[in-house]
Amino acid sequence: MSSGTAPRIATSPSPRPEPDEMRAMFSSMWLIRRFEERAAEEYMRGRIGGFLHLAIGEEAAVVGAISALRPTDPITSTYREHGHALARGSDPGRVMAELFGRSTGICGGRGGSMHLMDAERHFYGGYGIVGGSVPLGVGLAFASSYRGDGAVSLTMFGDGAANQGVLAESLNMAELWRLPVIFLLLNNQYGMGTSVERHSADEDLYKRAEGYGMPARKVDGMDVLAVRAAVAEAARMAREEGQPSMIELLAYRYRGHSMSDPDTVRAADEKERWQARDPIVMFERVLLGEGVMTGEEIAAERARIEAVVEDAAAFAEQSPEVPVQELARDVYANPWSDDPRGSAIMPPGPAAPAGGGA
Amino acid sequence: MSTTAPAKGQGGGSAPPRKAISYREALTQAMREEMERDERVFVMGEDVGRFEGAFKVTRGLLREFGERRVVDTPISEAGFVGIGIGAAMSGLRPIVELMTVNFSIVAMDQIVNNASKVRYMFGGQVACPVVLRMPGGAGHQLAAQHSHSLDAWYAHVPGLKVAAPATPYDAKGLLKTAIRDDDPVVFLESEGLYAKKGPVGGPDDLVPFGRAAVRRSGRDCTVIAHSRMVWVALAAADALAREGVECEVIDPRTFRPLDLETLAGSVRRTSRAVIVDEGWPECGIAANLATHLYEACFDWLDAPIARVTSADVPMPYAKNLEQAALPAPADVAAAVRRVIGRRPGGAA
């Protein structure tokens, strides 16, 4: 399928979420959108360094998926993961402070944009190697199964990761061992600048899972309710039947791969076609049409979020830098040395038993 | 001093001697005891269950602990190492067996990009208490792809701990320490030592990381060696003793953390050092230790530090070539004679 055509996807009809949940989903999507737009501005001002990968346009995928899970279900993701932390309820100020590289950052300034984590909220991190986090998500499912704690692991990755061998290995072991995991493939149709038809022999990426006997489907990733329904069903299968599954979400990121990508590869009309199906605008229509929110309520919520984002940026800007004395902190659980140039060297101590045999 | 006498600082001097068991059995014992002690500990890897391990290190574990805790994996090193890391981040204590260190290269992304990084990169929010057991070394005519000693690769990476036992006692004691450790441990076993027999400690005799073992005392030259090379060094030391040269053989046992103080203390006494390593010479363990020793005891040295390593070639198959590539006692003895200024046969 060429990128830009409307996705040919069937989503089984499912009960609407409760109005409160729908309002929370809207808030979450709008927070991600505005937070990321603000992050882009701060990046241009030089307050954010390194890489900054924006998920603008992909809010339905993130919020639809996470809203379908329990708060204790572990999540792993990629380097395009600001939204995951926000959707899980991480403090926007601490997330922004992490992007700023400050001591109040959610990872103490060690991770930055690509490596957010909120372990308390069972968000197990953003990872920078394409496909590399997928087996970690399967490992979290393995641990849930081992303990019998009833949690379902969701591991999110992109169409680029579909071509990493470790995905094939992970799918095989998940199905072989019947692990409670959802493989959520966010197909935004470009692995950096290489489109799906140029990087994948079969553009229906969900079929990769079918090769391992795993149920898989393609879903409209711009429709937050469709995403939520699909992930809810996948979570039910995983929790109740120990049946892993894969969902391919067809979506589109509005920005280039990262802030350093001028986005010259993708055609303007393609972008326009996808932006015409903006996930937030489409969801607003549902909210208004079904009487879940009035226009005034939507405007008020947008204004509230504007202030949240403003406060997050101010908090980040006012936060102290990370003390350089902490450079070697957290390399090890119980560090034996705080010398960042010699963290391997054990300081002198009592001699240990050499043991027999020599 | 005989190479079979107890080494300096051996604990439990008054305890009755324990039965000698093999390095292989010592590792099995460590895993069995830790699995009995802690429900979170499990073993996974290729053929670790029904087949009982390619080197039979997991013998009996499936029978005792069942398939939930002894997990046979497909041949997917990156995948199952990643699963082990994820399970460790979730609070379990996986022992992942890589059939050999050679196959760990397939999982290098998981080990270096994930296991070693997650604690630091996420600001200390998560631990990764996984043990990655992997036998390595050459000597069985397995040629270039099955004969690696990659200790230096792993010792290079902050966030990993790296242990390499030479004796059954250390195999058991270091593995128990590794399993109870809250950080990822690369546990380098030696294929050539699995049958080596010796005493081992009891269920609570842990060998701490970062404490070297003095395998033999001597005043003339310090010889640093680890894993199988300890035995090569001790054989050389025995031969040299017959010439009146007394070597002090020291086994670092772990490279992260590294007990530099014991190594440097010995070199300051002997003023001479030879470092033996089964790995390659460039950017290797011996090169790294030599740098540390130059920095720590330059003024005490009476001669340049000598390195004895494998030849700088992919390991060949032919038996005579393989033996020529590997450090042997005669190579170590020659290096010691060179640094102390002796000719073969004892003349100064």
Side-chain angles (χ1 to χ4, degrees), chain B residues 19-232:
Chain B
K19 178 171 154 278
I21 64 171
S22 69
Y23 182 98
R24 168 188 292 114
E25 291 165 312
L27 294 163
T28 315
Q29 222 173 65
M31 288 190 281
R32 179 180 296 116
E33 289 174 8
E34 294 304 304
M35 289 174 79
E36 282 168 354
R37 182 178 166 274
D38 186 346
E39 170 80 13
R40 298 171 300 172
V41 179
F42 69 97
V43 180
M44 71 190 306
E46 291 154 1
D47 275 321
V48 297
R50 290 193 196 179
F51 197 81
E52 301 189 310
F55 294 94
K56 305 300 172 196
V57 179
T58 51
R59 179 170 280 162
L61 295 183
L62 176 63
R63 199 168 54 246
E64 189 167 345
F65 296 101
E67 288 186 345
R68 174 170 167 263
R69 297 182 69 194
V70 181
V71 182
D72 277 322
T73 68
I75 301 170
S76 302
E77 287 86 1
F80 70 73
V81 168
I83 289 172
I85 294 166
M89 290 168 66
S90 183
L92 300 185
R93 292 187 169 266
I95 304 168
V96 181
E97 177 177 303
L98 278 306
M99 191 180 288
T100 74
V101 66
N102 310 289
F103 315 146
S104 78
I105 300 171
V106 178
M108 193 60 79
D109 172 50
Q110 292 300 321
I111 299 170
V112 177
N113 272 314
N114 289 341
S116 79
K117 302 289 196 293
V118 289
R119 172 182 293 279
Y120 189 87
M121 187 166 82
F122 297 125
Q125 291 185 71
V126 72
C128 186
V130 65
V131 179
L132 304 166
R133 291 183 37 240
M134 50 184 89
H140 298 94
Q141 283 193 271
L142 299 177
Q145 295 182 334
H146 278 69
S147 299
H148 285 103
S149 291
L150 301 176
D151 314 19
W153 288 18
Y154 292 111
H156 189 55
V157 182
L160 297 179
K161 288 180 177 171
V162 179
T167 67
Y169 190 96
D170 282 358
K172 181 173 178 186
L174 288 171
L175 184 53
K176 289 171 76 80
T177 299
I179 294 167
R180 296 188 196 183
D181 199 282
D182 284 335
D183 292 314
V185 179
V186 172
F187 197 85
L188 300 160
E189 300 166 11
S190 169
E191 294 172 27
L193 291 178
Y194 278 133
K196 190 97 187 166
K197 288 201 167 184
V200 294
D204 296 314
D205 291 326
L206 274 66
V207 176
F209 284 6
R211 295 286 173 242
V214 180
R215 299 293 179 197
R216 182 189 205 284
S217 298
R219 64 180 181 280
D220 296 323
C221 183
T222 300
V223 180
I224 298 166
H226 70 280
S227 191
R228 190 173 71 81
M229 291 299 110
V230 167
W231 302 97
V232 170

Side-chain angles (χ1 to χ4, degrees), chain A residues 64-316:
Chain A
I66 291 176
S67 71
L69 301 175
R70 295 178 184 169
T72 47
D73 288 335
I75 300 170
T76 50
S77 189
T78 68
Y79 44 80
R80 202 182 300 283
E81 88 295 25
H82 308 148
H84 297 70
L86 298 174
R88 258 292 157 87
S90 302
D91 174 50
R94 293 195 62 205
V95 177
M96 191 67 90
E98 187 62 31
L99 307 192
F100 277 52
R102 301 300 171 92
S103 62
T104 54
I106 197 161
C107 298
R110 302 304 197 290
S113 164
M114 293 193 283
H115 307 302
L116 302 176
M117 170 182 273
D118 193 339
E120 252 178 53
R121 290 181 172 78
H122 301 271
F123 172 40
Y124 279 90
Y127 297 82
I129 307 299
V130 170
S133 58
V134 175
L136 304 188
V138 179
L140 292 163
F142 182 96
S144 287
S145 171
Y146 188 93
R147 281 192 295 260
D149 63 16
V152 170
S153 169
L154 179 130
T155 184
M156 196 157 171
F157 51 95
D159 51 280
N163 298 322
Q164 286 280 28
V166 77
L167 174 65
E169 299 179 17
S170 298
L171 289 167
N172 180 50
M173 282 182 275
E175 180 65 31
L176 181 67
W177 298 336
R178 304 278 294 180
L179 298 177
V181 56
I182 303 167
F183 294 87
L184 193 65
L185 191 165
L186 176 59
N187 179 358
N188 67 19
Q189 307 179 56
Y190 287 86
M192 208 157 94
T194 304
S195 60
V196 171
E197 69 263 23
R198 293 179 63 233
H199 74 55
S200 287
D202 185 335
E203 295 164 43
D204 284 329
L205 300 175
Y206 68 92
K207 290 181 183 168
R208 306 288 171 95
E210 291 178 345
Y212 298 94
M214 185 185 292
R217 62 198 287 205
K218 189 184 294 215
V219 172
D220 181 356
M222 305 303 263
D223 178 347
V224 68
L225 293 171
V227 175
R228 181 181 156 115
V231 174
E233 170 58 13
R236 188 202 63 73
M237 279 196 301
R239 225 182 297 277
E240 293 174 12
E241 302 161 19
Q243 175 62 62
S245 63
M246 178 153 154
I247 301 168
E248 176 186 348
L249 301 178
L250 194 63
Y252 201 78
R253 61 170 152 77
Y254 293 178
R255 305 291 185 105
H257 171 71
S258 74
M259 286 298 289
S260 54
D261 168 16
D263 198 15
T264 51
V265 170
R266 304 185 303 175
D269 65 332
E270 175 185 300
K271 282 181 241 181
E272 282 161 18
R273 275 202 307 279
W274 279 91
Q275 288 181 8
R277 299 190 68 247
D278 183 90
I280 297 177
V281 172
M282 289 202 303
F283 190 44
E284 275 184 9
R285 277 189 212 123
V286 173
L287 294 170
L288 290 167
E290 299 186 5
V292 178
M293 290 179 88
T294 65
E296 291 74 28
E297 283 168 339
I298 286 174
E301 184 58 11
R302 285 182 176 220
R304 186 186 71 79
I305 282 166
E306 213 59 31
V308 168
V309 171
E310 187 58 41
D311 289 350
F315 173 78

